[in-house]
Structures are given as C-alpha cells and as structure tokens.
Amino acid sequence: MAEEYLDIRGRRRNLLRLARINLTSFLHLFFYRIVILFSIIAAAIIIASMVSGGQFLDILAYASIAIVWLLVTPQLFGTFKVLPIVLTNGEAMGRLNSSFLKFKESVMPTSPAYKSILAAFPYMAIIVWIALLALLLAMLAVAL
Amino acid sequence: MTNRIWVFMTYGSIVGIPAMASLFVLAHYLFPGIAYVFEALLALALITNFITGMREIYIVSKPIPDKLVVEPVSHVPAEATQRGQGKAVNIVISRFNPDRGIIEKKEYSVAADKYTSVLSALIKVKNYQDNTLSIRYSCGMGICGSCGMNVNGRPSLACETNLLKSAENGKVEVSPMLAHPVMKDLVTNFDDFFEKHKAVSPHIYKEDAGEKYGHGGISRQSREDLVKFLPFSYCIMCGLCLDACPVENTNPNFAGPQALSQVYRYAEDSRDGKGEKRIEMVNSKDGIWGCEFAGACSEVCPKGVDPASAIQLLKAKKIGQMLDPNYCQGEKSGADGI
C-alpha cells in the first residue's frame, strides 16, 4: 500500500467513534474493555479473601464481584440476544431488511407469539440477573 | 491449535464469569459449604478473561502518524447559496490531503431543499465552489455503494442521506470512512475490503458435471430455500459495516462483517457445494470468533443485511457441528481460511 494513504486502523481511539454511531454498541464494548482490566484486580481480591479470610477481604471480594456483575451486564444482554437470533434466523432481535421479512412471512410464516416470547427472553434473563445481583448486595450488606 | 485454545478461553470466560458468579451467589444461600468452589472458578474465569482480553487490547499497537494533524476549519465563501433555491446549509468536510499528509477541515455553504441529499450537496460544492474536492459516487440511488462516508460521525451512503434532516444547527459534518485507508479527501481505498471478500470465495461452488456439461441437473430452489440466504445477498459492498465495526477498527486482520455475512449467505445456499468448508474457513479468532457482537454493523447497513446476525448464526452452526458426534473435522475442513 502506498505511503501517502492515511491508514488509522488499529487504534484504540477508534472505539470512541461508536458512541456517535450506536450508543448500545459503545456501552457494550466500553464496559467489556473495563471488565477486562478490572477482572485481574477482582480475581486477586477474590483469591486473597479465599486464602487469608477475614471480614474486610470478604467485603472487598463481594464488592468487586458486584462491580464485575454490573460491568458484564451489557455483554450478557448481547449473549442472551443470540438465542432469539439463532432460533429465528435473525427475525427476532435482528435487523433484517423489512421487505424481506414481509416476503418471508408469505413463504414461511412464524407465529408472532413465538417471536414475541423469544424477543422477550433477553430482557427476562437480565431481570433474573439483576435479581441475583440483589442477593449479592444482600450478602455484602450482611458482611458489612 | 493455539487458535482453538484462544477461542475456548475467550468464550469460556465470557460465559464462565456470569455463570460462576450466579452459582456462587446461589450456593452461598443454598449450599454454603460448596460456595468457595464457585468463587474459585469465578476467579479463574476472571483471570482467563484478563489474559484473552489483553490480547484484544494490545493486538495492534499502531503509532499515530507524526504528520497527521487536523487543521482548523477554513470557510470557503458561499457562492452556491445564491445559485440555488432553499435553505443554506454549511457542510464541514474533513479532507485528507495526501501531499501534505494532513486532514484539513473546510466549510462550504450550499442551498438545500427538502430533497437535497448529502451527495448532491457535495457535487454542488465540487461543481461550483471547489473543483479539487475528491468524492466517489456512481448511481446516486443507494445501489452501487460507492458514496460511503461518515455523515455527522455515522457511516452512511451520502446519496441516501438527506442534507436538511442531517443538519444540526444548520451544519453537517462529512468525513471519510476511517476503517479503510483514505486516499484523498472523502475517497477511501477498498483493496483490503475486496481482498477479504474474495478470500471467502463469494460465489456458488459446485462440482456437478451434469449441470456443467449436460442438459440436466439444473439446481432448482424452493422459496423456502431462498429465504434462508436472501437478505444476506442484498449486500452492495459499500463498506459501511466495516467502518462501524469496532473489531475491524482495532484489528485490521479481522475478516469483517461483510465477508463473514457472505460466508453465511453461500453456506446457506442450497445450490452451493462447499457447505461446511465455508464455515471451517472462518473458524478462527480473526474470523467468526473475533466478532464481539456489538451490532454496529447491522445498525448502519443501508440494505438490512444484518451482518451481526449472520455471524452469530455462523457461530451457532459451528457449535452445532462441534456438538454433532458424527461430525469429523479432518474430512470437512480443508479450505484456505482467514
């Protein structure tokens, strides 16, 4: 490739462009990048609390798990979205061409109830995830 | 082998962290005696996530070109405003000057009515104000995919983007796509893009002598067969999905959403004979497993191809193959791969 081309691919800063394109995608990536860096700190705290015990380290471990919990939520929502996409070939939770979707309905109709249930699945799973976080926070409150 | 271990570690940690965290909390309340097992597994998943994630963060450490500076906006007198009817809109164009190696921002004023697209405004600028402006376009109606650029930071086809609707305080910012090397002004180089497209054999492959040389053996396709791949064949190769893709922006070796969606398109085509080899071709960390499913590619696709879904469907197909006891890796693979 000629030298005079401007090639800025491969720069971390490019991730920030996502915020203007799609905020959901940006949060998904941004939180994931933070959790990558934070995960080694959380792991160290968890291991330290398991090895040496002590209430202070337990509290720190629960708190770090709670932070990880919050940070992985957008990533987890993305993972849960895959199920409806796979089961409906991209019809539920996907962004397929609208005229194609009309054509597909005429050829292979899919039950709207089935699609609605599948589309609701990621939201229901996140509700369960948040409920479990509440249990973790209760553990933290008891430890405090 | 390293590739497979990396994929296993990455996806294992992505699934492992929430799974072990949930099990740890549940076990704490239900079976306190074994909670520490899940706590230890959570720590292991976190360490794995750190190791695989850091590879992503430092995968490419490209230095910023020394001479790359962005010059402040210089305003070009608005001659065109008087030439047409309508509202005056200022277009700020980020122009890459290859001779000086810098990006210059220049502001032009054009008259726009409710039908004016960004492309027609740029053509007006080129025709009446600054004939040194380089733009690439062809059909002007969202079919050829030539006029991809960033309009207000969002990858868009200039011909399909309404100027007045895009204007924020009477101003529209236009810049070249940055996931492709910029040649001049708003024109980008698509060599890498087409190479990636070519690498996935984007054509029907069939070893059928009867069809090739004889009169019989025509590949008939039902409407049910057609709907499996039809939306993925709408791709016009405009490159907007690549520009939006955060993985492509940080790792240029990634196959990219366009090429991967075409793998799915041909893998699902009942007339194609390559079948599972196509999926094997992209069964790598720079292939389907490199996708982080941000979904920005599908968000900006002007044709509703939904490359993000296509990649998830490819991943699901690959997992399905791996879980199939009758599936033999050695016999089915053999493609060049990405």
Short mmCIF file of all heavy atoms in Angstrom, two decimals, chain B residues 255-284:
data_model
loop_
_atom_site.label_atom_id
_atom_site.label_comp_id
_atom_site.label_asym_id
_atom_site.label_seq_id
_atom_site.Cartn_x
_atom_site.Cartn_y
_atom_site.Cartn_z
N ALA B 255 -11.69 -10.55 9.66
CA ALA B 255 -12.31 -10.74 8.33
C ALA B 255 -13.36 -9.68 8.04
O ALA B 255 -13.56 -9.30 6.88
CB ALA B 255 -12.93 -12.13 8.25
N GLY B 256 -14.04 -9.24 9.06
CA GLY B 256 -15.00 -8.16 8.87
C GLY B 256 -16.42 -8.65 8.64
O GLY B 256 -16.64 -9.75 8.13
N PRO B 257 -17.39 -7.83 9.01
CA PRO B 257 -18.79 -8.25 8.91
C PRO B 257 -19.26 -8.53 7.49
O PRO B 257 -20.07 -9.44 7.28
CB PRO B 257 -19.57 -7.08 9.52
CG PRO B 257 -18.62 -5.96 9.65
CD PRO B 257 -17.24 -6.51 9.62
N GLN B 258 -18.73 -7.80 6.52
CA GLN B 258 -19.21 -8.01 5.15
C GLN B 258 -18.83 -9.40 4.65
O GLN B 258 -19.68 -10.16 4.18
CB GLN B 258 -18.62 -6.92 4.24
CG GLN B 258 -19.25 -6.88 2.85
CD GLN B 258 -18.60 -7.86 1.88
OE1 GLN B 258 -17.47 -8.29 2.07
NE2 GLN B 258 -19.32 -8.23 0.84
N ALA B 259 -17.55 -9.74 4.78
CA ALA B 259 -17.08 -11.03 4.28
C ALA B 259 -17.75 -12.17 5.04
O ALA B 259 -18.16 -13.17 4.44
CB ALA B 259 -15.56 -11.12 4.42
N LEU B 260 -17.90 -12.01 6.34
CA LEU B 260 -18.49 -13.09 7.14
C LEU B 260 -19.97 -13.28 6.81
O LEU B 260 -20.47 -14.41 6.78
CB LEU B 260 -18.29 -12.81 8.63
CG LEU B 260 -16.83 -12.87 9.10
CD1 LEU B 260 -16.70 -12.41 10.54
CD2 LEU B 260 -16.26 -14.28 8.96
N SER B 261 -20.66 -12.18 6.55
CA SER B 261 -22.08 -12.34 6.18
C SER B 261 -22.20 -13.06 4.83
O SER B 261 -23.15 -13.81 4.61
CB SER B 261 -22.78 -10.97 6.12
OG SER B 261 -22.30 -10.22 5.04
N GLN B 262 -21.20 -12.86 3.97
CA GLN B 262 -21.23 -13.55 2.68
C GLN B 262 -20.90 -15.04 2.84
O GLN B 262 -21.37 -15.87 2.06
CB GLN B 262 -20.29 -12.88 1.69
CG GLN B 262 -20.72 -11.48 1.31
CD GLN B 262 -22.22 -11.39 1.00
OE1 GLN B 262 -22.69 -11.93 0.00
NE2 GLN B 262 -22.99 -10.73 1.85
N VAL B 263 -20.12 -15.36 3.85
CA VAL B 263 -19.87 -16.78 4.14
C VAL B 263 -21.19 -17.45 4.49
O VAL B 263 -21.53 -18.53 3.97
CB VAL B 263 -18.87 -16.95 5.31
CG1 VAL B 263 -18.76 -18.41 5.74
CG2 VAL B 263 -17.51 -16.44 4.91
N TYR B 264 -21.97 -16.79 5.33
CA TYR B 264 -23.27 -17.36 5.70
C TYR B 264 -24.20 -17.43 4.49
O TYR B 264 -24.90 -18.42 4.30
CB TYR B 264 -23.92 -16.52 6.81
CG TYR B 264 -25.19 -17.15 7.33
CD1 TYR B 264 -25.14 -18.26 8.15
CD2 TYR B 264 -26.44 -16.66 6.95
CE1 TYR B 264 -26.30 -18.88 8.59
CE2 TYR B 264 -27.59 -17.27 7.39
CZ TYR B 264 -27.52 -18.37 8.21
OH TYR B 264 -28.68 -18.99 8.64
N ARG B 265 -24.16 -16.37 3.67
CA ARG B 265 -25.04 -16.33 2.50
C ARG B 265 -24.80 -17.55 1.60
O ARG B 265 -25.74 -18.18 1.13
CB ARG B 265 -24.80 -15.01 1.74
CG ARG B 265 -25.61 -14.86 0.46
CD ARG B 265 -24.72 -15.01 -0.75
NE ARG B 265 -25.45 -14.95 -2.00
CZ ARG B 265 -26.02 -16.02 -2.55
NH1 ARG B 265 -25.98 -17.19 -1.97
NH2 ARG B 265 -26.66 -15.91 -3.71
N TYR B 266 -23.53 -17.88 1.35
CA TYR B 266 -23.23 -19.00 0.45
C TYR B 266 -23.34 -20.35 1.17
O TYR B 266 -23.69 -21.34 0.56
CB TYR B 266 -21.86 -18.81 -0.21
CG TYR B 266 -21.93 -17.75 -1.28
CD1 TYR B 266 -21.50 -16.45 -1.03
CD2 TYR B 266 -22.49 -18.03 -2.52
CE1 TYR B 266 -21.61 -15.46 -1.99
CE2 TYR B 266 -22.61 -17.05 -3.48
CZ TYR B 266 -22.17 -15.76 -3.21
OH TYR B 266 -22.30 -14.78 -4.17
N ALA B 267 -23.03 -20.36 2.46
CA ALA B 267 -23.14 -21.63 3.21
C ALA B 267 -24.60 -22.08 3.27
O ALA B 267 -24.88 -23.28 3.33
CB ALA B 267 -22.58 -21.46 4.62
N GLU B 268 -25.53 -21.12 3.25
CA GLU B 268 -26.95 -21.47 3.35
C GLU B 268 -27.61 -21.70 1.98
O GLU B 268 -28.76 -22.10 1.91
CB GLU B 268 -27.70 -20.34 4.07
CG GLU B 268 -27.53 -20.35 5.57
CD GLU B 268 -28.07 -21.62 6.21
OE1 GLU B 268 -29.29 -21.83 6.17
OE2 GLU B 268 -27.26 -22.40 6.75
N ASP B 269 -26.88 -21.42 0.93
CA ASP B 269 -27.44 -21.58 -0.41
C ASP B 269 -27.48 -23.06 -0.77
O ASP B 269 -26.44 -23.73 -0.79
CB ASP B 269 -26.58 -20.80 -1.42
CG ASP B 269 -27.28 -20.61 -2.75
OD1 ASP B 269 -27.99 -21.55 -3.18
OD2 ASP B 269 -27.13 -19.52 -3.33
N SER B 270 -28.67 -23.56 -1.06
CA SER B 270 -28.82 -25.00 -1.33
C SER B 270 -28.07 -25.43 -2.60
O SER B 270 -27.80 -26.60 -2.79
CB SER B 270 -30.30 -25.35 -1.46
OG SER B 270 -30.87 -24.62 -2.53
N ARG B 271 -27.71 -24.47 -3.45
CA ARG B 271 -27.01 -24.82 -4.70
C ARG B 271 -25.51 -24.95 -4.48
O ARG B 271 -24.80 -25.45 -5.35
CB ARG B 271 -27.26 -23.73 -5.76
CG ARG B 271 -28.70 -23.57 -6.14
CD ARG B 271 -28.93 -22.28 -6.88
NE ARG B 271 -28.65 -21.12 -6.04
CZ ARG B 271 -28.72 -19.86 -6.47
NH1 ARG B 271 -29.06 -19.60 -7.69
NH2 ARG B 271 -28.45 -18.86 -5.64
N ASP B 272 -25.03 -24.47 -3.34
CA ASP B 272 -23.59 -24.45 -3.11
C ASP B 272 -23.07 -25.80 -2.63
O ASP B 272 -23.71 -26.46 -1.82
CB ASP B 272 -23.25 -23.36 -2.07
CG ASP B 272 -21.76 -23.21 -1.90
OD1 ASP B 272 -21.11 -22.86 -2.90
OD2 ASP B 272 -21.25 -23.44 -0.80
N GLY B 273 -21.89 -26.16 -3.14
CA GLY B 273 -21.33 -27.46 -2.78
C GLY B 273 -20.25 -27.41 -1.73
O GLY B 273 -19.75 -28.43 -1.29
N LYS B 274 -19.86 -26.22 -1.32
CA LYS B 274 -18.75 -26.13 -0.34
C LYS B 274 -19.21 -26.41 1.08
O LYS B 274 -18.44 -26.87 1.90
CB LYS B 274 -18.09 -24.76 -0.41
CG LYS B 274 -16.84 -24.77 -1.27
CD LYS B 274 -15.99 -23.56 -1.04
CE LYS B 274 -14.66 -23.73 -1.76
NZ LYS B 274 -13.84 -22.54 -1.69
N GLY B 275 -20.45 -26.08 1.36
CA GLY B 275 -21.08 -26.41 2.64
C GLY B 275 -20.25 -26.07 3.86
O GLY B 275 -19.89 -24.92 4.08
N GLU B 276 -19.88 -27.12 4.60
CA GLU B 276 -19.22 -26.91 5.88
C GLU B 276 -17.80 -26.35 5.73
O GLU B 276 -17.26 -25.78 6.67
CB GLU B 276 -19.20 -28.22 6.66
CG GLU B 276 -20.56 -28.59 7.19
CD GLU B 276 -20.67 -30.04 7.59
OE1 GLU B 276 -19.66 -30.75 7.50
OE2 GLU B 276 -21.77 -30.44 7.98
N LYS B 277 -17.21 -26.53 4.57
CA LYS B 277 -15.86 -25.99 4.36
C LYS B 277 -15.87 -24.47 4.50
O LYS B 277 -14.90 -23.87 4.93
CB LYS B 277 -15.35 -26.37 2.97
CG LYS B 277 -14.87 -27.78 2.85
CD LYS B 277 -14.35 -28.05 1.46
CE LYS B 277 -14.01 -29.53 1.29
NZ LYS B 277 -13.73 -29.85 -0.11
N ARG B 278 -16.97 -23.87 4.12
CA ARG B 278 -17.07 -22.40 4.21
C ARG B 278 -16.97 -21.96 5.67
O ARG B 278 -16.29 -20.99 5.98
CB ARG B 278 -18.39 -21.93 3.63
CG ARG B 278 -18.46 -22.05 2.13
CD ARG B 278 -19.60 -21.24 1.57
NE ARG B 278 -19.69 -21.39 0.13
CZ ARG B 278 -19.00 -20.66 -0.74
NH1 ARG B 278 -18.19 -19.73 -0.32
NH2 ARG B 278 -19.12 -20.87 -2.03
N ILE B 279 -17.65 -22.68 6.54
CA ILE B 279 -17.63 -22.30 7.96
C ILE B 279 -16.24 -22.59 8.55
O ILE B 279 -15.71 -21.81 9.33
CB ILE B 279 -18.74 -23.03 8.74
CG1 ILE B 279 -20.09 -22.68 8.11
CG2 ILE B 279 -18.73 -22.65 10.21
CD1 ILE B 279 -21.24 -23.46 8.63
N GLU B 280 -15.65 -23.68 8.10
CA GLU B 280 -14.31 -24.04 8.58
C GLU B 280 -13.30 -22.96 8.19
O GLU B 280 -12.35 -22.67 8.92
CB GLU B 280 -13.92 -25.38 7.97
CG GLU B 280 -12.89 -26.15 8.76
CD GLU B 280 -13.24 -26.27 10.23
OE1 GLU B 280 -14.36 -26.66 10.57
OE2 GLU B 280 -12.36 -25.94 11.06
N MET B 281 -13.54 -22.34 7.03
CA MET B 281 -12.66 -21.30 6.50
C MET B 281 -12.56 -20.10 7.46
O MET B 281 -11.53 -19.45 7.54
CB MET B 281 -13.29 -20.82 5.19
CG MET B 281 -12.37 -20.37 4.15
SD MET B 281 -13.13 -20.44 2.50
CE MET B 281 -14.64 -19.56 2.64
N VAL B 282 -13.64 -19.82 8.15
CA VAL B 282 -13.65 -18.64 9.04
C VAL B 282 -13.72 -19.04 10.51
O VAL B 282 -14.06 -18.23 11.37
CB VAL B 282 -14.84 -17.69 8.69
CG1 VAL B 282 -14.56 -16.97 7.39
CG2 VAL B 282 -16.15 -18.44 8.64
N ASN B 283 -13.39 -20.30 10.78
CA ASN B 283 -13.41 -20.79 12.15
C ASN B 283 -12.09 -20.42 12.83
O ASN B 283 -11.24 -21.26 13.10
CB ASN B 283 -13.61 -22.32 12.13
CG ASN B 283 -13.58 -22.93 13.51
OD1 ASN B 283 -13.89 -22.26 14.49
ND2 ASN B 283 -13.18 -24.19 13.60
N SER B 284 -11.92 -19.14 13.09
CA SER B 284 -10.66 -18.67 13.68
C SER B 284 -10.91 -17.40 14.48
O SER B 284 -11.99 -16.82 14.41
CB SER B 284 -9.63 -18.39 12.59
OG SER B 284 -10.07 -17.31 11.80
#
